[in-house]
Amino acid sequence: MQSQRTSGTRLGSLHTLTIGVVLLGLTLILLLALMVMNLGSRPAQPLPILSTVPDFVLTNQAGQVVRRVDLLGQPWVADIIFTRCAGPCPLMTRRMKSLQDALPPDARVRLITLTTDPAYDTPAVLRQYGERFGADFRRWWFLTGAPDQIARLAIDGLKLTAVPIPESQRTNPADLFIHSTTFVVVDAEGRVRASFETVGEDFNFTPVRRQIVRTLRQLEREPADAATTNRP
C-alpha cells in the first residue's frame, strides 16, 4: 500500500509539473506575441524635410496647366526623364508603372514625371509615351514647359540633376542629358521628404518599391504639422 501511495504521489507531482511547464510555455508565447504587436504598433519615425518645392508653371500630357498648388493636399512621387533617352529612362518609367500598380486604387497619391527635353517632349509626345508604358493619367502626370520652369521644379525644388551632354561627347544621337535616376517623395504640403535610387547594376527594385509605398502611407497618415519639428 505504501508503494502504491508513493507511486501515486509521484505521478501527481509529475502531472502538476507538466501542467506548470505547459502554462509557463503558453505564458511565454503570449508575452512574445505581445512584444511583437507592440513593436509593430510603434509609430514610424518622422521623415525629415529635405527641401520645399517652389511655385512653378508647367503643362501636362493633356495640355493642362499644372502649378504647385495643384499638387497640394496629397503626397506625390516625381522623377525626371526624356522620351528620346537611350539610357535608363525606359527602365525608370517601367518602375514608375510598377509603383502605380502597387498603390491601392483609393490611395491619394500622385505620380509626376518631368522631361529634361521640352523642345521635343511636347504634351502630345508625352501622352504617347505615357500610353506606351500603361500610365493611368488620372494619377500619373507627365510635365513639360519652359526650361526655366522645369529647372525651378526639378533642380531647385526636387534636387534632381539634369545636365545637357555636349554634342562632341555623345556616344548616341539620343544621348542628350545626364540626369538623376531617383524617385523623390513629396508630402501633401509640397515638401521633399525622401529620395530613392531606382537603377544600378544588379539592382532589385522590389524592396525599394515596398519602401516607397510605406513612405507614402506614412505621409498620408501624418498630421499637417508633424514634420515641422524635424527639419535637418
Side-chain angles (χ1 to χ4, degrees), residues 190-204:
R191 303 171 300 190
V192 175
R193 306 296 295 279
S195 180
F196 298 88
E197 185 54 68
T198 64
V199 301
E201 187 175 356
D202 299 323
F203 189 87
N204 183 4

Side-chain angles (χ1 to χ4, degrees), residues 47-48 50 183-186 191-196 215 219:
L47 297 165
L50 304 177
F183 286 178
V184 178
V185 179
V186 183
R191 303 171 300 190
V192 175
R193 306 296 295 279
S195 180
F196 298 88
T215 300
L219 291 177

Side-chain angles (χ1 to χ4, degrees), residues 8-65:
T9 300
R10 288 176 178 173
L11 288 174
S13 299
L14 181 60
H15 182 65
T16 302
L17 179 61
T18 301
I19 293 175
V21 170
V22 171
L23 290 175
L24 178 61
L26 291 174
T27 301
L28 290 174
I29 291 173
L30 179 60
L31 288 173
L32 181 61
L34 289 173
M35 288 174 62
V36 171
M37 290 175 62
N38 287 334
L39 287 173
S41 62
R42 288 180 181 175
Q45 291 296 315
L47 297 165
I49 297 175
L50 304 177
S51 64
T52 299
V53 173
D55 292 330
F56 61 87
V57 180
L58 293 170
T59 305
N60 70 11
Q61 74 287 339
Q64 300 168 329
V65 173

Side-chain angles (χ1 to χ4, degrees), residues 80-101:
I80 188 165
I81 57 97
F82 60 105
T83 64
R84 294 189 287 175
C85 177
C89 301
L91 178 58
M92 292 173 62
T93 306
R94 286 194 295 270
R95 288 180 170 168
M96 187 69 87
K97 170 61 164 58
S98 77
L99 176 59
Q100 171 188 273
D101 295 343

Side-chain angles (χ1 to χ4, degrees), residues 17-201:
L17 179 61
T18 301
I19 293 175
V21 170
V22 171
L23 290 175
L24 178 61
L26 291 174
T27 301
L28 290 174
I29 291 173
L30 179 60
L31 288 173
L32 181 61
L34 289 173
M35 288 174 62
V36 171
M37 290 175 62
N38 287 334
L39 287 173
S41 62
R42 288 180 181 175
Q45 291 296 315
L47 297 165
I49 297 175
L50 304 177
S51 64
T52 299
V53 173
D55 292 330
F56 61 87
V57 180
L58 293 170
T59 305
N60 70 11
Q61 74 287 339
Q64 300 168 329
V65 173
V66 177
R67 298 179 173 86
R68 179 181 185 271
V69 67
D70 298 310
L71 297 175
L72 297 179
Q74 60 189 346
W76 44 288
V77 182
D79 71 344
I80 188 165
I81 57 97
F82 60 105
T83 64
R84 294 189 287 175
C85 177
C89 301
L91 178 58
M92 292 173 62
T93 306
R94 286 194 295 270
R95 288 180 170 168
M96 187 69 87
K97 170 61 164 58
S98 77
L99 176 59
Q100 171 188 273
D101 295 343
L103 293 170
D106 60 345
R108 297 182 66 254
V109 174
R110 178 79 65 188
L111 306 178
I112 296 294
T113 290
L114 291 164
T115 178
T116 64
D117 188 16
Y120 181 84
D121 288 339
T122 63
V125 169
L126 289 175
R127 183 174 185 84
Q128 292 174 358
Y129 181 83
E131 289 172 345
R132 178 154 61 94
F133 285 91
D136 179 357
F137 293 133
R138 294 170 299 179
R139 168 175 285 177
W140 187 356
W141 289 350
F142 294 75
L143 301 185
T144 188
D148 66 312
Q149 292 296 308
I150 292 174
R152 185 169 174 77
L153 173 56
I155 299 173
D156 297 344
L158 301 175
K159 306 306 179 184
L160 295 171
T161 300
V163 180
I165 300 175
E167 187 172 355
S168 61
Q169 298 178 18
R170 296 174 188 170
T171 58
N172 185 298
D175 190 17
L176 303 176
F177 299 91
I178 297 173
H179 60 84
S180 300
T181 55
T182 55
F183 286 178
V184 178
V185 179
V186 183
D187 68 17
E189 296 186 39
R191 303 171 300 190
V192 175
R193 306 296 295 279
S195 180
F196 298 88
E197 185 54 68
T198 64
V199 301
E201 187 175 356

